[in-house]
């Protein structure tokens, strides 16, 4: 099965994901059947190293799969994206950590929560970790977790900002996820009570920012030379582009059959409705085309063995938050034009509207921060930021 066959397999699953969308909302998590279907389709292997049975696919192929899935069910697309990007990050960890996770089962999945809300204390040969981390999407379907933490020494001074890798027996899941959007993602809390994490199960954000990580010794392909801030930020925006695409398709289907009783005419014949469709479609296309263009350029530098240019990395963050903004604008325009019946529970348009807005509040979608970074770079000012 090739990486391109994964896209074909995903397309075959879309009707099933549409049918299960409301069930995922009601259960507040994806079904085991949906996660198994994603695994069998190869979605979680797209960014996994070939030496563990993965495809090492071009990231645009991964994003295309996510866009399609999110266009059928926002929650399924979100979880597929987040769980699907973690094999890429694990490939950057020391080889021993990769073996810990994939040695016995290359299909092992990881969830994450990167905000450093817990405590990490420097110790001999490792770290002591404790605390609570929020929003770990798909954690019920994972047996390892990636957690962000600021490392302090005995004097309480910060010495590093790292991602820590923990097995399921080292943490508990607190079922707290009850939201108005992305309800089916099961983004519950991770609780860690003073657990020792060996040094090889940690990765510094300083290394990911420099694009020089321990795992590149074994995984030396161009995919693993990309900046974390570029790959992960689009991991969050792509499902939102997909949700906007799903809302667009649902809106078209609805409007073709809708009669506007107040005006006694078909909604599809309303010129103002036609203009709104054009506006929304243009925003969605612009968001996706920027992603394709930027990531293709980034992979070009990686394949050539060239450093990742900071102006391009900053442009990616700029266009990533603009991609989210464009998608939200499109969904809003479509929802506003759908009439009162779109408010009914169970209709796709209102679910996509809620899911897209829920995704928008992710920290990576802060537009002012990303735009300010881009502007600072254009003025030649120094950039001190892990997420570029």
């Amino acid at each position: 099965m090739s990486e391109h066959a994964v896209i074909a397999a995903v397309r075959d699953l879309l009707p099933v994901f549409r049918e299960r969308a409301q069930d995922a909302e009601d259960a507040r998590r994806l079904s085991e059947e949906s996660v198994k279907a994603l695994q069998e389709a190869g979605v979680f292997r797209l960014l996994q190293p070939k030496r563990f049975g993965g495809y090492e696919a071009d990231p645009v192929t991964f994003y295309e799969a996510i866009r399609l899935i999110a266009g059928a069910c926002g929650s399924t697309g979100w979880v597929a994206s987040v769980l699907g990007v973690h094999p890429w990050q694990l490939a950057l960890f020391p080889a021993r950590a990769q073996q810990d996770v994939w040695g016995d089962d290359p299909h092992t999945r990881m969830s994450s929560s990167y905000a450093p809300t817990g405590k990490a204390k420097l110790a001999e040969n490792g770290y002591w970790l404790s605390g609570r981390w929020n929003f770990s999407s798909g954690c019920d379907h994972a047996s390892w977790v990636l957690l962000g933490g600021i490392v302090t020494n005995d004097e309480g001074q910060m010495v590093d900002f790292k991602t820590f890798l923990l097995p399921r027996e080292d943490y508990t899941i607190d079922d707290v996820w009850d939201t108005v959007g992305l309800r089916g993602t099961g983004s519950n809390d991770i609780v860690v009570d003073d657990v020792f994490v060996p040094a090889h199960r940690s990765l510094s954000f300083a290394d990911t920012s420099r694009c020089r990580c321990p795992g590149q010794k074994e995984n030396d392909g161009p995919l693993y030379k990309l900046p974390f801030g570029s790959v992960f930020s689009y991991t969050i925006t792509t499902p939102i582009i997909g949700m906007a695409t799903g809302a667009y398709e649902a809106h078209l289907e609805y409007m073709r059959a809708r009669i506007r009783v107040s005006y006694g005419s078909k909604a599809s014949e309303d010129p103002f409705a036609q203009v709104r469709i054009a506006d929304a479609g243009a925003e969605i296309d612009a968001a996706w085309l920027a992603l394709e263009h930027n990531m293709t350029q980034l992979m070009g530098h990686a394949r050539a063995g060239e450093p990742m240019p900071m102006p391009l990395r900053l442009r990616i963050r700029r266009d990533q938050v603009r991609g989210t903004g464009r998608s939200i604008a499109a969904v809003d325009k479509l929802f506003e034009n759908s009439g009162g019946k779109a408010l009914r529970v169970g209709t796709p348009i209102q679910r996509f509207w809620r899911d897209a807005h829920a995704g928008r509040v992710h920290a990576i979608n802060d537009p002012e921060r990303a735009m300010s970074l881009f502007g600072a770079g254009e003025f030649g000012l120094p950039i001190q930021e892990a997420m570029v």
Side-chain angles (χ1 to χ4, degrees):
M1 188 173 180
S2 69
E3 63 185 75
H4 303 293
V6 175
I7 301 298
V10 164
R11 291 186 187 279
D12 290 340
L13 288 171
L14 299 184
V16 177
F17 292 148
R18 289 191 187 96
E19 291 175 5
R20 293 176 180 169
Q22 188 59 49
D23 291 339
E25 276 219 334
D26 295 341
R28 296 182 297 112
R29 54 173 284 176
L30 301 189
S31 66
E32 295 292 340
E33 291 78 10
S34 289
V35 176
K36 182 180 179 181
L38 290 169
Q39 177 175 304
E40 291 177 346
V43 173
F44 301 134
R45 288 190 289 156
L46 283 171
L47 301 184
Q48 188 175 21
K50 289 182 179 178
R51 66 194 192 93
F52 286 105
Y55 296 113
E56 290 192 27
D58 189 293
V60 174
T61 303
F62 172 70
Y63 296 134
E64 171 64 12
I66 298 306
R67 181 176 72 146
L68 290 169
I69 297 165
C73 171
S75 289
T76 305
W78 186 272
V79 172
S81 193
V82 173
L83 296 188
V85 78
H86 293 150
W88 176 82
Q89 188 184 11
L90 181 59
L92 306 180
F93 273 72
R96 186 177 171 189
Q98 298 172 49
Q99 191 66 30
D100 288 348
V101 176
W102 288 325
D104 294 330
D105 182 5
H107 296 296
T108 300
R109 294 183 293 271
M110 300 151 279
S111 67
S112 67
S113 181
Y114 293 106
T117 54
K119 295 181 179 179
K121 188 175 180 181
L122 190 63
E124 186 176 357
N125 299 319
Y127 310 87
W128 287 101
L129 193 68
S130 61
R132 176 181 289 266
W133 285 259
N134 310 124
F135 312 124
S136 188
S137 300
C139 57
D140 291 316
H141 303 288
S143 52
W144 290 73
V145 70
L146 296 155
L147 301 174
I150 293 175
V151 182
T152 58
N153 57 21
D154 291 336
E155 289 73 41
Q157 299 170 324
M158 175 181 172
V159 295
D160 207 344
F161 179 20
K162 290 201 162 197
T163 299
F164 298 96
L165 176 66
L166 283 72
R168 185 65 182 82
E169 58 267 24
D170 283 355
Y171 62 91
T172 58
I173 297 173
D174 191 4
D175 186 355
V176 298
W177 189 246
D178 190 7
T179 57
V180 297
L182 293 176
R183 285 183 58 81
T185 61
S187 302
N188 290 305
D189 287 4
I190 302 296
V191 181
V192 178
D193 185 13
D194 206 25
V195 167
F196 179 75
V197 181
H200 73 275
R201 292 184 187 165
S202 69
L203 182 67
S204 174
F205 273 99
D207 289 341
T208 58
S209 293
R210 289 192 295 263
C211 301
R212 297 177 182 174
C213 298
Q216 292 170 336
K217 181 178 180 181
E218 290 76 23
N219 305 312
D220 58 358
L223 177 63
Y224 306 109
K225 295 180 172 65
L226 303 182
F228 179 86
S230 300
V231 174
F232 183 77
S233 61
Y234 265 136
T235 297
I236 298 302
T237 288
T238 300
I240 301 174
I241 298 174
M243 294 167 208
T245 305
Y248 184 88
E249 293 169 351
H251 181 73
L252 283 179
E253 182 178 357
Y254 173 59
M255 293 292 279
R256 288 188 184 112
R258 181 186 175 199
I259 301 296
R260 302 194 69 175
V261 179
S262 301
Y263 302 102
S265 62
K266 292 182 178 180
S268 60
E269 295 174 350
D270 179 358
F272 300 109
Q274 295 164 358
V275 170
R276 294 186 185 106
I277 284 289
D279 283 344
E283 295 285 17
I284 297 168
D285 286 348
W288 179 251
L289 291 171
L291 180 156
E292 283 189 312
H293 176 67
N294 288 333
M295 294 308 297
T296 298
Q297 280 203 338
L298 201 65
M299 278 297 288
H301 288 289
R303 290 189 177 102
E306 299 167 353
M308 300 294 103
M310 183 55 68
L312 176 56
R313 294 167 68 171
L314 292 171
R315 191 180 81 203
I316 286 174
R317 287 287 283 117
R318 180 200 70 184
D319 291 350
Q320 171 258 317
V321 295
R322 286 290 290 127
T324 294
R326 289 179 186 276
S327 299
I328 293 295
V331 171
D332 284 349
K333 192 176 291 289
L334 296 167
F335 184 63
E336 292 165 5
N337 197 44
S338 293
K341 290 183 179 180
L343 296 171
R344 291 177 177 172
V345 173
T347 59
I349 189 73
Q350 56 81 32
R351 186 187 304 115
F352 284 124
W353 184 81
R354 289 185 289 107
D355 287 348
H357 277 273
R360 162 64 184 84
V361 301
H362 191 286
I364 204 71
N365 285 324
D366 182 347
E368 289 80 13
R369 179 174 295 276
M371 295 296 190
S372 177
L373 285 169
F374 179 82
E378 290 293 277
F379 284 131
L381 301 177
I383 304 297
Q384 301 293 332
E385 170 66 36
M387 292 304 294
V388 295

